[in-house]
């Protein structure tokens, strides 16, 4: 059940594109039976692309007046903590994640 899922973001930094992205993402899932927490830290940009790139330059300038859709792909440090009936684990490693900003 995804309903108890909460995402907290922090340490938002600007990007040269005029967009910004969080350097801290914390996913919290909790129920009566336990919880799962996932933390992403120290993101390194692998790709940063305007979603307007497929348009001709004159159209890009026009659309950018009302929107600046952007795609980011990151490699990050991940910490996962699971505390559920029959499962207790903490794992650390690297994770790939993406953010699409559509407005």
């Amino acid at each position: 059940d995804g309903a108890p899922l909460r995402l907290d973001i922090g340490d938002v930094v600007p990007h040269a594109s005029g967009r910004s992205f969080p350097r801290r993402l914390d996913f919290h899932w909790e129920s009566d039976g336990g919880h799962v927490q996932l933390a992403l830290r120290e993101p390194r940009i692998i790709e940063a692309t305007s979603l307007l790139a497929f348009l001709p330059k004159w159209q890009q300038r026009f659309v950018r007046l009302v929107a600046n859709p952007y795609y980011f792909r990151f490699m990050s440090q991940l910490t996962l903590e699971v505390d559920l009936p029959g499962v207790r684990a903490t794992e650390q490693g690297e994770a790939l994640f993406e953010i699409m900003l559509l407005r």
Side-chain angles (χ1 to χ4, degrees), residues 14-21 48-50 64 68-72 101:
H15 182 261
S17 65
R19 302 309 307 247
S20 56
F21 62 90
T49 304
S50 170
R64 194 161 286 143
N68 184 17
Y70 227 80
Y71 167 82
F72 290 100
L101 305 168

Side-chain angles (χ1 to χ4, degrees), residues 46-101:
I46 295 172
E47 183 177 355
T49 304
S50 170
L51 297 178
L52 301 178
F54 68 93
L55 296 173
K57 292 288 185 196
W58 71 270
Q59 286 180 344
Q60 289 179 28
R61 286 189 286 264
F62 179 71
V63 173
R64 194 161 286 143
L65 293 172
V66 294
N68 184 17
Y70 227 80
Y71 167 82
F72 290 100
R73 180 181 294 163
F74 303 92
M75 184 61 73
S76 179
Q77 293 301 310
L78 172 137
T79 301
L80 174 66
E81 179 185 312
V82 178
D83 187 359
L84 298 169
V87 180
R88 282 194 118 159
T90 300
E91 299 292 334
Q92 294 184 333
E94 287 193 320
L96 179 71
F97 76 95
E98 302 168 325
I99 296 175
M100 289 185 74
L101 305 168

Side-chain angles (χ1 to χ4, degrees), residues 12-45:
V12 177
V13 296
H15 182 261
S17 65
R19 302 309 307 247
S20 56
F21 62 90
R23 294 186 43 80
R24 181 182 60 78
L25 292 110
D26 292 306
F27 293 86
H28 304 277
W29 182 90
E30 229 173 302
S31 74
D32 294 338
H35 71 272
V36 176
Q37 294 187 28
L38 184 139
L40 296 168
R41 299 288 189 276
E42 302 174 30
R44 297 180 312 278
I45 295 175

